[in-house]
Amino acid sequence: MRQPSTTRTATARPSTGHARRTRPPAVDTACGEAVDLARAAAEDEARPSPVGEHLGAQAEGDRVVTHYFAALDPAYRGWRWAVTVTRASRAKNVTVSECVLLPGEDALLAPPWVPWLERLRPGDLGPGDLLPTAPDDARLAPGYTQADEAIDRAAPWEPGLGRVRVLSQEGRDEAATRWYEGIAGPRAPIAVSAPAQCSTCGFYVPLAGELRLVFGVCANEYAPDDGRVVSADHGCGAHSEAVSVPAASEQATPLIDEMGYDIVPADTDDDPETVAERELGHS
């Protein structure tokens, strides 16, 4: 009895997980030799500035090569002209595909673009300028959500009757840090040499809410921080208790010595009129 024949099936080998490596395209011979064609295109684009030496060629794909030339324009130091040439399949004629000016490794480039809101700095806002606030600004929160007992409220704030947005906890922390570390904080030069802190000054008006423990407003018109927010441990020379005016002292009655006298010599420099009268008297 013949045994049934067994059919062998090929089993796929497990993948090793490594990606298939692709070799970079080789430089096409005809496109690589088209240096004069690429230079003519670069000179036509750079006119009237000259074009520098050939810096090399790089294959971009099948029958696509980019030639690089040094840019001699003083305004584009470190840049280079990139001329891409190509040819059709089985064609001998090479044509220019693109000619652009590209920066090199040592090229002078403009700084990265920064949005206007990120470039803005304190003090940049002038009269007539408008600074829009983003709807999702983390420093602000809807007014009806900030119902903290630590915040002083002059009147009940009902939804839709008060301000649309107020400072959030993050916004208050940022402001407090900025004020405390700025020129109105304890480390300012004028505060270091102050005779006392603002918290003990009669012109110090504490803020309302949870910020009253650390900040207040100066109400001394002669102080450099008049009308500004200052920290409680700030200070200046215009402190209300900085100068103690001494009490007025009574002047003593002058003593006149009636027992003695002083001999005062006569003046030797006679007046011209006195001399004239004396001469007339002798005559």
Side-chain angles (χ1 to χ4, degrees), residues 18-264:
H18 295 286
R20 184 178 180 182
R21 296 182 179 179
T22 58
R23 293 185 300 176
V27 177
D28 182 73
T29 304
C31 294
E33 294 177 354
V35 179
D36 296 337
L37 176 66
R39 176 180 289 276
E43 291 177 349
D44 183 68
E45 189 72 21
R47 187 177 297 123
S49 299
V51 177
E53 61 178 345
H54 184 251
L55 301 179
Q58 180 181 357
E60 305 291 348
D62 295 338
R63 299 178 302 278
V64 180
V65 177
T66 299
H67 293 272
Y68 296 98
F69 300 91
L72 301 182
D73 193 332
Y76 289 91
R77 182 176 302 176
W79 290 61
R80 53 185 182 175
W81 288 100
V83 183
T84 303
V85 296
T86 184
R87 68 180 182 89
S89 178
R90 298 181 182 180
K92 297 181 179 180
N93 295 332
V94 179
T95 59
V96 176
S97 176
E98 187 179 18
C99 180
V100 294
L101 190 62
L102 298 179
E105 296 180 356
D106 301 331
L108 180 63
L109 301 176
W113 182 81
V114 180
W116 176 75
L117 286 178
E118 298 180 11
R119 296 197 309 267
L120 194 65
R121 292 294 179 267
D124 292 346
L125 199 65
D129 296 338
L130 297 178
L131 178 59
T133 304
D136 57 347
D137 195 327
R139 300 172 300 172
L140 299 173
Y144 59 85
T145 63
Q146 301 298 305
D148 192 353
E149 295 297 334
I151 302 176
D152 292 343
R153 291 173 294 177
W157 291 79
E158 299 180 2
L161 299 181
R163 290 176 292 171
V164 177
R165 290 190 294 177
V166 296
L167 271 178
S168 63
Q169 185 63 45
E170 183 177 351
R172 288 195 295 270
D173 293 342
E174 289 183 3
T177 302
R178 184 173 63 254
W179 294 345
Y180 197 80
E181 296 179 354
I183 60 175
R187 288 185 290 272
I190 193 173
V192 174
S193 58
Q197 296 182 351
C198 292
S199 59
T200 60
C201 180
F203 298 103
Y204 178 77
V205 181
L207 292 181
E210 61 181 4
L211 295 178
R212 69 178 293 118
L213 300 177
V214 186
F215 298 103
V217 178
C218 178
N220 189 350
E221 61 177 331
Y222 299 106
D225 296 314
D226 179 39
R228 300 178 181 177
V229 175
V230 293
S231 65
D233 49 359
H234 184 66
C236 70
H239 194 280
S240 61
E241 313 302 327
V243 179
S244 178
V245 181
S249 60
E250 297 181 357
Q251 295 183 356
T253 304
L255 299 178
I256 301 177
D257 187 6
E258 299 179 351
M259 302 300 294
Y261 59 89
D262 296 331
I263 300 176
V264 180

